[in-house]
Amino acid sequence: MTDTLSGIAGPVTQGHARVEVKSEPLIYRRDARASYFKDLLISTPDGNERLARHRQEMDVIGKERDDRAWRALRAGEFETRVEPDRTDGTGGYFSPPLWLNQLFTTAKRPGRVLAGLIPGTFPLPAGVSQINLPILTTGTINQSTPDLAGVPDQDIVDAAGSSAVATFSGEANVALQLLEQSPAGAMLDWAIFMDLAQAYDFSLETQLLYGLGSAAQQLSGVVPAAGVAVTYTDASPTGPKMWPYLAQAAAQLGDARLLPPEVWLMRTARWAWLAGSETTTGAPIVISPFFLGSDPDMPDPISGVMGWPVFLDDAISATLGAGGNQDQVIPIRPSDLLLFESTPQTAVIREPGSGSLSVKIQMHSYAAAITRYTQGVATIGGTGFVVQSGY
């Protein structure tokens, strides 16, 4: 993705020629001379015009993301009762520059792995504290019928899937001079927002995996809700001995969900240990390569296991089990999940630090997530998943 926007500018007539602008650079981008946070802090006609233009750009980008999510789900079994929309903040609260969102993905914190694999990712509707989704637990039947026989009849049974809207927030204190006296093109905006955004991604990924639900004002994680759990107990685990338990989890998920898993999630260290394991003859375990194509909006798999791609997610805990020294592997169907995220809101606040010429740069956002089929999630853990020395 480049720092340009398509479709925001309309046709322009110059003399007898008709000129239509297809794309143009974003207001706040890596090589821009304007500072996003400085414009928020200091009200000037030029700054206000840039912020207004930026809001218009984010409207287009938000619609493109929404359309992309619907295209990804259109071929699947998904119904919705209302079409989510997005409302930008007002006053000093605007969505952050797109180029900042692009750059923070290179940080050292665990990134958006499971979040990036969920095709059903939508803007969170404004003004809601909970998302509810009807889920059919028993469906109708439609089968071959002999002539003059009665039509098969089975009523549906439904249940409510729901998620509380969780709040994610953070702030940083910055010297006022850094904003007011920063030279054109200075990267202060990038550094501050990158860190806040990375922290959000880490928290979101962790809650998608292990969130405690609405009682704790968190998302409901897939691990606590997993419909399949396989335990590998072994005081001296090896890759070949672990292998059948991976197969068991995939098989049990298929039986429970009536569809196969789509991906494996595992820590980098667990993958390295498994990939470096040897069979009894001294040969390495055969792990197939995997290529999903070049999709900039999705994480890349490291390889494949049993025909399904492996994605490395270092938000998976390595402190599980009675001894606090185990991790786990998670086969999962990300298409069974729904994720709703609000536009990140930012603010520059002068009052608390006015006595020391400092300002607070804040970011907050909201998210909700629903696991439509808990049978589409499995976990494999136990004493055989003790973190090995050197890994």
Side-chain angles (χ1 to χ4, degrees):
M1 185 181 294
T2 59
D3 295 332
T4 60
L5 183 69
S6 300
I8 192 170
V12 179
T13 302
Q14 296 181 348
H16 297 289
R18 178 182 174 87
V19 179
E20 186 169 353
V21 180
K22 295 295 185 181
S23 64
E24 61 182 21
L26 293 172
I27 291 294
Y28 301 111
R29 58 189 188 278
R30 279 168 288 190
D31 59 346
R33 297 179 63 84
S35 165
Y36 172 70
F37 288 121
K38 188 174 181 179
D39 282 346
L40 283 181
L41 177 67
I42 305 171
S43 178
T44 65
D46 288 343
N48 292 338
E49 182 181 352
R50 284 191 293 266
L51 290 171
R53 179 68 171 176
H54 174 63
R55 290 199 302 275
Q56 185 181 7
E57 293 170 346
M58 293 301 103
D59 282 338
V60 175
I61 292 167
K63 183 179 184 303
E64 289 176 350
R65 185 182 71 171
D66 197 19
D67 291 344
R68 185 167 61 247
W70 280 110
R71 286 195 300 271
L73 285 176
R74 195 163 287 139
E77 302 170 355
F78 178 72
E79 297 292 336
T80 181
R81 295 192 176 206
V82 294
E83 181 176 355
D85 59 9
R86 179 172 67 92
T87 303
D88 275 332
T90 58
Y93 298 82
F94 305 121
S95 54
L98 177 65
W99 67 265
L100 296 175
N101 291 334
Q102 292 171 253
L103 289 179
F104 68 67
T105 57
T106 59
K108 293 182 180 180
R109 289 188 181 94
R112 298 170 60 94
V113 181
L114 178 55
L117 291 171
I118 299 174
T121 300
F122 297 96
L124 179 71
V128 299
S129 59
Q130 183 167 305
I131 298 289
N132 296 313
L133 177 74
I135 296 175
L136 297 185
T137 57
T138 300
T140 60
I141 56 175
N142 190 331
Q143 59 192 34
S144 62
T145 308
D147 292 350
L148 302 179
V151 177
D153 180 8
Q154 180 168 290
D155 295 332
I156 64 170
V157 177
D158 66 350
S162 65
S163 171
V165 174
T167 304
F168 298 82
S169 62
E171 67 181 16
N173 293 317
V174 179
L176 181 63
Q177 295 90 330
L178 286 177
L179 287 177
E180 290 187 334
Q181 298 301 116
S182 293
M187 303 303 287
L188 177 64
D189 289 28
W190 172 81
I192 294 173
F193 186 78
M194 179 184 68
D195 196 68
L196 288 171
Q198 289 168 349
Y200 164 73
D201 276 352
F202 179 34
S203 296
L204 176 67
E205 188 74 10
T206 301
Q207 287 200 23
L208 284 174
L209 291 171
Y210 300 109
L212 300 178
S214 57
Q217 296 185 328
Q218 296 182 4
L219 305 181
S220 295
V222 297
V223 171
V228 173
V230 171
T231 302
Y232 170 38
T233 302
D234 195 336
S236 302
T238 66
K241 288 193 291 183
M242 179 180 291
W243 200 260
Y245 293 92
L246 302 180
Q248 285 181 26
Q252 291 181 28
L253 186 154
D255 284 342
R257 177 63 177 89
L258 301 180
L259 287 172
E262 293 173 337
V263 303
W264 304 90
L265 300 178
M266 62 181 75
R267 294 171 56 244
T268 300
R270 176 58 60 190
W271 166 256
W273 177 83
L274 187 62
S277 298
E278 297 178 343
T279 66
T280 55
T281 61
I285 293 180
V286 177
I287 299 177
S288 60
F290 210 98
F291 179 68
L292 288 179
S294 301
D295 186 345
D297 297 316
M298 286 185 61
D300 293 320
I302 186 66
S303 188
V305 165
M306 302 176 190
W308 296 295
V310 176
F311 291 86
L312 303 182
D313 191 343
D314 287 298
I316 293 176
S317 175
T319 59
L320 302 174
N325 58 351
Q326 302 170 16
D327 65 358
Q328 60 188 172
V329 171
I330 305 171
I332 189 172
R333 292 179 53 83
S335 62
D336 284 349
L337 277 63
L338 295 176
L339 175 61
F340 300 86
E341 293 183 89
S342 73
T343 301
Q345 306 294 307
T346 54
V348 178
I349 305 172
R350 295 186 63 162
E351 287 77 11
S354 58
S356 57
L357 288 181
S358 66
V359 298
K360 288 185 179 294
I361 294 180
Q362 288 185 344
M363 170 184 158
H364 75 276
S365 57
Y366 306 97
I370 295 177
T371 302
R372 295 190 288 149
Y373 301 96
T374 58
Q375 302 91 338
V377 183
T379 60
I380 316 142
T383 57
F385 281 83
V386 168
V387 176
Q388 299 296 305
S389 177
Y391 287 91

